[in-house]
Amino acid sequence: MSRLQGPSSLKRKRPEVNSPAQSLTEHERLLYDVIRSKQDIGIWTRDMKKEAKLPDNVVNKSLKALQVKKLIKEVVNIQNKGRKHFMATEFEPSKEISGGAWYLEGSLDTEFIESLKQLCKRQIERRGVATLEEVTDSINSYPAFNVDVTKQQIEEILRTLILDNVIMEVKSNGMGEFASIPFGEVCYKYISKAGLGGEPKAGALASIPCGVCPRISQCTPDGIISPKTCVYYQKWLDF
């Protein structure tokens, strides 16, 4: 089920911890302790049998009982999807097991990724230019989007949009459309689309000198090094 259909977001709900652990049989307790000791990594059934030193029929019966009592759960290990992997319900799978934020139930969540890409694109297109923080805050406050995302996740999405030539990364010069963004801060600008086939056309914006200038940290509006006295900046304006 898509996480976009409801509040089952990246912040996955933890199962209830108040479980009937005190009513376990000797074998169930042994198996439960082995599984629980692996925390967010979990354990493969084959390794579990070796560690618990119990026969297959006892392990299988105990696993079913522990699942019924909601003390353990079966999880998908993206590195070995064909193997049965178990974990105590109080833990959530680590990134090594689940694949991280971009995976859902062991599969790459392409629907979620594409939706997030489109939202990021629209936010930057609407603003013209935006910082990472602005894009993240806008998406997290978007009423129709029921998933809380982190700055790191949005940054990864923005990187893909840069590679797709949809947006570009620039540094604010503190002037014009960058007036609301602190001087020198990294931000993202939408590349307008024009021409046949709707191919992105970056034009002169893609070669803005401020983004690659080695003196950007010393450049100020009224300083010795400034946009007013910069020949490269003037050439860019006259392009």
Side-chain angles (χ1 to χ4, degrees), residues 25-198:
T25 66
E26 181 183 351
H27 292 149
E28 290 169 1
R29 168 63 63 184
L30 175 59
L31 207 58
Y32 176 63
D33 288 344
V34 169
I35 297 170
R36 191 169 182 270
S37 69
K38 307 308 176 184
Q39 300 184 13
D40 62 352
I41 298 298
I43 186 170
W44 177 32
T45 48
R46 186 173 178 180
D47 294 334
M48 185 196 310
K49 291 172 183 177
K50 287 181 180 179
E51 194 165 330
K53 296 178 181 178
L54 293 172
D56 288 358
N57 62 324
V58 174
V59 169
N60 294 336
K61 182 180 178 181
S62 299
L63 284 175
K64 288 180 182 177
L66 291 171
Q67 284 181 286
V68 168
K69 294 174 183 178
K70 297 182 179 180
L71 290 172
I72 65 167
K73 59 187 175 183
E74 187 174 349
V75 295
V76 178
N77 183 345
I78 62 162
Q79 299 177 23
N80 294 288
K81 292 185 178 181
R83 296 180 178 181
K84 284 200 170 187
H85 209 84
F86 289 91
M87 182 178 296
T89 52
E90 65 192 271
F91 299 107
E92 290 299 324
S94 66
K95 287 184 179 180
E96 292 79 10
I97 299 298
S98 68
W102 304 125
Y103 283 77
L104 183 67
E105 297 177 354
S107 299
L108 187 66
D109 196 347
T110 53
E111 180 189 356
F112 174 62
I113 293 170
E114 187 57 35
S115 297
L116 202 51
K117 284 178 69 175
Q118 291 303 314
L119 271 176
C120 287
K121 171 179 166 286
R122 286 202 295 269
Q123 289 297 326
I124 297 173
E125 182 179 10
R126 182 174 62 84
R127 293 169 178 266
V129 61
T131 63
L132 173 61
E133 289 76 11
E134 287 173 335
V135 177
T136 306
D137 291 343
S138 295
I139 289 176
N140 281 331
S141 61
Y142 193 63
F145 198 67
N146 296 309
V147 178
D148 287 335
V149 291
T150 65
K151 285 203 307 183
Q152 182 183 348
Q153 289 166 330
I154 294 297
E155 188 173 20
E156 290 175 10
I157 291 294
L158 295 180
R159 291 295 173 197
T160 66
L161 290 174
I162 291 172
L163 292 173
D164 292 341
N165 204 25
V166 173
I167 63 171
M168 68 179 103
E169 182 182 291
V170 294
K171 287 186 179 179
S172 170
N173 60 14
M175 301 170 65
E177 61 186 341
F178 298 99
S180 63
I181 301 172
F183 183 81
E185 184 171 337
V186 171
C187 48
Y188 301 89
K189 184 169 180 62
Y190 180 71
I191 301 175
S192 59
K193 293 182 179 180
L196 296 173

